[in-house]
Amino acid sequence: MFKNETGVSEFLLLGITNDPGQQQILFWAFLCMYLVTLTGNTLILLAISSDPRLHTPMYFFLANLSLVDICFTTNLIPRLLASHVAGTRTISYTHCLTQMYFLISFANVDTFLLAAMALDRFVAICYPLQYCTIITPQLCGGLAAIVWVCSGLISLVHTLLMSRLTFCSLLPEISHFYCDAYLLMKLACSDTRVNQRVFLGAVVLFVAPCILIVVSYVRITIAVLQIPSAKGRHKAFSTCSSHLSVVTLFYGTVLGIYIRPPDSFSTQDTVATIMYTVVTPMLNPFIYSLRNKDMKETMTRFLNSGLKSS
């Protein structure tokens, strides 16, 4: 898929630990979290598609978020589990860049979807009478298409630039359990200044949706505080609580790790990345299903109908 101009055919992923006992524990932990992620997000997709009451813009974006969480973890975890079973830590050059491409692409989709969901909540609370005319199905579909296409193109630029780098070793060692772009740049012998400038632009692009989310919630808070009744304020805030929890969990882990120069990235950050690559996609279905009344009722009804039919 990507042209290899480096002479490198494989990379060595050092993983999280070299201790066999810890590796065994991590294998079962990752397997369980992956299965929970698949099950939870698939149930959300099925619940939203089966209940006409959930055919609204907010749940449309939630369905996209569940889909990208499935794709995000599937890009990383099965390969990690397979390497543990096979007893090998090497990954081919093409597989490494392909994994990096989808990782960057799905991460960008995540950020843009969270911003779109914040915009949806902003219009619903601040302009409730105009909501149906502003947030139309055509707008939601168009936004989703733009998000997926643009994220893929952005990731393609990063990956093509990475494919032009040369490396100092025939078997470069990556201090991670997946092909991280920052660490690949640190291993390169060739000039990475263009790559670093592009990644600086990527950081700005990554932070921009976060700023939009913050501004939206500042406006939402101001509007909600003007509601005279405590019950009305609680109801308004409750419609945002699930989304705000996911935003905090996602951006809290990602910004703390990657908003820094590539040279400052350390092996200790490997454990921290597990939070946003594995734990966050696993927790998202629980956050939305347990803190959202409509979703909870639909999930319960869907599971009960499934048990009865079986």
Side-chain angles (χ1 to χ4, degrees):
M1 181 178 179
F2 302 106
K3 186 178 180 181
N4 186 352
E5 299 180 0
T6 69
V8 171
S9 60
E10 290 182 323
F11 293 95
L12 181 65
L13 296 174
L14 298 182
I16 302 173
T17 178
N18 291 321
D19 183 88
Q22 293 180 355
Q23 288 178 352
Q24 193 70 19
I25 294 173
L26 287 172
F27 171 82
W28 290 108
F30 276 111
L31 177 60
C32 291
M33 287 188 289
Y34 179 59
L35 292 177
V36 171
T37 300
L38 285 183
T39 303
N41 284 288
T42 300
L43 284 175
I44 282 186
L45 287 172
L46 293 174
I48 292 175
S49 62
S50 64
D51 191 342
R53 295 183 307 164
L54 302 183
H55 294 175
T56 62
M58 185 64 178
Y59 291 110
F60 170 77
F61 290 125
L62 176 57
N64 276 267
L65 187 64
S66 293
L67 177 61
V68 76
D69 282 342
I70 292 173
C71 296
F72 191 91
T73 52
T74 300
N75 181 46
L76 299 176
I77 307 306
R79 191 265 155 205
L80 175 65
L81 299 176
S83 66
H84 177 85
V85 173
T88 177
R89 294 186 176 185
T90 58
I91 182 172
S92 70
Y93 178 90
T94 301
H95 190 172
C96 184
L97 290 195
T98 302
Q99 186 184 70
M100 188 192 76
Y101 167 82
F102 285 113
L103 177 67
I104 296 173
S105 180
F106 293 142
N108 281 323
V109 172
D110 245 332
T111 61
F112 292 137
L113 284 176
L114 290 174
M117 294 170 80
L119 180 63
D120 173 83
R121 292 298 85 199
F122 164 72
V123 175
I125 292 175
C126 297
Y127 301 97
L129 298 180
Q130 290 83 30
Y131 178 80
C132 292
T133 57
I134 297 175
I135 308 297
T136 62
Q138 293 77 13
L139 176 65
C140 295
L143 281 176
I146 292 172
V147 164
W148 283 92
V149 172
C150 288
S151 297
L153 292 176
I154 292 168
S155 181
L156 182 61
V157 171
H158 293 304
T159 309
L160 290 176
L161 285 174
M162 190 66 67
S163 69
R164 298 173 60 86
L165 299 181
T166 57
F167 298 91
C168 304
S169 170
L170 289 178
L171 186 61
E173 296 181 352
I174 303 174
S175 303
H176 221 317
F177 64 92
Y178 62 84
C179 291
D180 183 87
Y182 278 8
L183 298 183
L184 283 173
M185 281 195 292
K186 288 179 65 176
L187 294 172
C189 293
S190 53
D191 190 354
T192 62
R193 284 179 295 180
V194 175
N195 295 69
Q196 293 186 32
R197 288 168 185 166
V198 171
F199 267 89
L200 180 60
V203 169
V204 174
L205 192 62
F206 189 84
V207 173
C210 183
I211 296 174
L212 176 61
I213 292 170
V214 171
V215 172
S216 297
Y217 273 103
V218 169
R219 293 288 304 276
I220 287 172
T221 302
I222 294 173
V224 171
L225 292 177
Q226 294 176 350
I227 298 176
S229 68
K231 184 178 180 180
R233 290 194 296 269
H234 179 268
K235 183 179 180 180
F237 274 127
S238 66
T239 63
C240 305
S241 60
S242 298
H243 176 253
L244 196 55
S245 300
V246 172
V247 168
T248 303
L249 186 62
F250 178 78
Y251 273 102
T253 53
V254 175
L255 293 180
I257 296 170
Y258 286 110
I259 305 303
R260 64 177 76 176
D263 291 339
S264 67
F265 195 89
S266 66
T267 55
Q268 295 176 347
D269 292 316
T270 302
V271 178
T273 58
I274 297 175
M275 280 299 296
Y276 84 90
T277 57
V278 184
V279 177
T280 300
M282 180 187 67
L283 292 180
N284 284 352
F286 294 98
I287 293 173
Y288 276 103
S289 60
L290 296 178
R291 302 191 65 176
N292 186 294
K293 182 180 178 181
D294 291 336
M295 179 61 71
K296 188 188 300 184
E297 291 176 354
T298 301
M299 292 278 281
T300 302
R301 187 167 56 253
F302 183 81
L303 289 174
N304 289 336
S305 62
L307 292 174
K308 291 178 180 178
S309 61
S310 62

